[in-house]
Amino acid sequence: MPQPCDVTAAPIPPRRIRTGEVFMTVANTDVNCASILSAALLERGFSPFFGTPCGILAPLYTQLECQGGLWTVSREDNAVGVAAGAAMAGRSPVVLMQNSGLGQSVNAIASLVVPYGIPMLLIVSMRGIAPDFTTENGVMGRLTEPLLNDSGIPTVRLDAASVIQQVEWGRSFVVERRLPAALLVPPALFGWQA
Amino acid sequence: MNKTAAIREVIGATVDEPIVFTTGYSCRVARSISDRPNHFYMTGSMGLAASIGVGIALSSALPVVVVDGDGSLAMNPGCLLTAGAMPNIPLLHLVLDDGLYESTGGQGVPSQRVDFTALARAAGYREVSRADNLSTFGKLLKKLLEKCSTPTFVHCVLTSREMTEPPPRIETDLYQHHLRFSQHLNRVNPELQ
């Protein structure tokens, strides 16, 4: 478990580094959004946090590691399994993953989370949608929402202006009604660039 | 020692400890021996029993028993890394190894050249044992359950086949099953008292 650290020292994705003024403006906004999201999750009773790293999620990942503690699990379906155990022990866990890892997790979702009705919040980054046009991610980009929704897991696409209300939506499912739900992270939300 | 005898030994050695039984015949056999609220029957998600056990152990501080299989471990050896990364959780991970995918028709598991105990140790499990008879297995269980405070692995080598037809499928409502198990954890979890 990482030790509490200085959140102001959270690393900014190197691809954002440009000239002084632009760097400061954009990077602060990105870190702020991740910081607001991280704080909103912690304030609303979510924990523990599990995740498999993803470039899009990196600013949020860092914030959570600093503010709340986050366990890195080497494959996403194992993270879903660990979260299922934590949820059955009464917690309201969160799993951070890229949507490629959602592909790895289909059976865990289809045969464990949904049929047993195990509460957890999935925070899934969306590779393969604009502005990410990488060919290898396009299929999961198209499948992410229908896959989750058709499995019976409701989704919301995060947007910077509504992060707090959207976390509150997640809380109403996971913490209050003890059901699974997913927040989807568009590539640019925390400043990711192709 | 066959699978039923090993599972009977696990059930006899435990009282309140949460036990996660892997998919296939293990959860069916367990339920037919004794259907207790501390049992979690993982009817799908092959390979994830130990990961579920890790989450329970991490969140409750209760010693958690996982009854896994060799086919399941071969499908998801990454579960060893997940548990091995958390040296302070009380997890007793038992792998009942009959060398077969029994519930799918008895096909062989391609693990003859795999040393499961070496894998567990290399992944970070602090305690690793092997048992190939019921008496050794029973004594090990008793000893390990008394002071389980770290990921602990037991490779349980099954030397004989089942003598009877497999018990029926788990037809309980899975959501209700989750609730029963969850309520049990709430009742016995020292961190919630």
Side-chain angles (χ1 to χ4, degrees), chain A residues 146-168:
Chain A
L147 194 156
L148 285 164
N149 293 330
D150 290 355
S151 303
I153 298 186
T155 59
V156 156
R157 272 198 205 196
L158 285 171
D159 95 273
S162 320
V163 161
I164 293 182
Q165 296 92 309
Q166 292 175 322
V167 172
E168 181 55 31

Side-chain angles (χ1 to χ4, degrees), chain B residues 7-95:
Chain B
I7 291 175
R8 189 172 279 121
E9 201 71 23
V10 174
I11 290 175
T14 48
V15 184
D16 269 345
E17 297 89 339
I19 312 177
V20 181
F21 292 96
T22 191
T23 186
Y25 289 157
S26 286
C27 58
R28 292 161 65 167
V29 168
R31 182 165 177 269
S32 76
I33 293 169
S34 177
D35 186 21
R36 305 183 296 178
N38 60 326
H39 291 185
F40 182 71
Y41 308 126
M42 189 190 77
T43 57
S45 57
M46 183 165 172
L48 290 187
S51 297
I52 294 172
V54 165
I56 300 166
L58 195 61
S59 301
S60 69
L62 293 167
V64 179
V65 181
V66 173
V67 177
D68 215 346
D70 54 320
S72 293
L73 185 56
M75 183 174 278
N76 179 28
C79 73
L80 297 174
L81 278 75
T82 303
M86 304 184 186
N88 299 320
I89 58 167
L91 182 81
L92 182 54
H93 187 178
L94 313 171
V95 172

Side-chain angles (χ1 to χ4, degrees), chain B residues 125-181:
Chain B
Y125 281 61
R126 289 247 174 97
E127 290 200 37
V128 171
S129 316
R130 187 172 181 277
D132 59 7
N133 66 74
L134 209 51
S135 155
T136 309
F137 184 55
K139 284 178 195 151
L140 254 179
L141 275 179
K142 191 167 181 301
K143 187 185 90 173
L144 296 173
L145 278 166
E146 272 171 12
K147 54 161 195 65
C148 185
S149 60
T150 185
T152 303
F153 185 89
V154 179
H155 182 202
C156 177
V157 183
L158 304 178
T159 47
S160 53
R161 300 289 300 267
E162 297 299 289
M163 305 299 284
T164 54
E165 285 297 303
R169 287 181 188 279
I170 310 282
E171 286 177 350
T172 326
D173 179 279
L174 297 180
Y175 177 63
Q176 293 302 324
H177 180 62
H178 150 213
L179 291 186
R180 182 183 80 164
F181 183 64

Side-chain angles (χ1 to χ4, degrees), chain A residues 1 47-48 50 71-75 77-91 107-109 111-119 177-179, chain B residues 40-48 51-56 58-60 76 78-79 81-82 85-86 173-175 177-179 181-183 185-186 189 191-192:
Chain A
M1 176 68 81
S47 89
F50 304 102
W71 299 94
T72 293
V73 178
S74 56
R75 216 176 100 138
D77 57 345
N78 281 305
V80 170
V82 176
M88 289 194 287
R91 312 289 297 275
N107 190 45
I109 288 168
S111 68
L112 179 67
V113 176
V114 172
Y116 286 85
I118 298 176
R177 296 160 62 195
R178 306 299 289 160
L179 294 166
Chain B
F40 182 71
Y41 308 126
M42 189 190 77
T43 57
S45 57
M46 183 165 172
L48 290 187
S51 297
I52 294 172
V54 165
I56 300 166
L58 195 61
S59 301
S60 69
N76 179 28
C79 73
L81 278 75
T82 303
M86 304 184 186
D173 179 279
L174 297 180
Y175 177 63
H177 180 62
H178 150 213
L179 291 186
F181 183 64
S182 200
Q183 281 157 9
L185 294 180
N186 281 333
N189 183 355
E191 292 197 345
L192 296 176

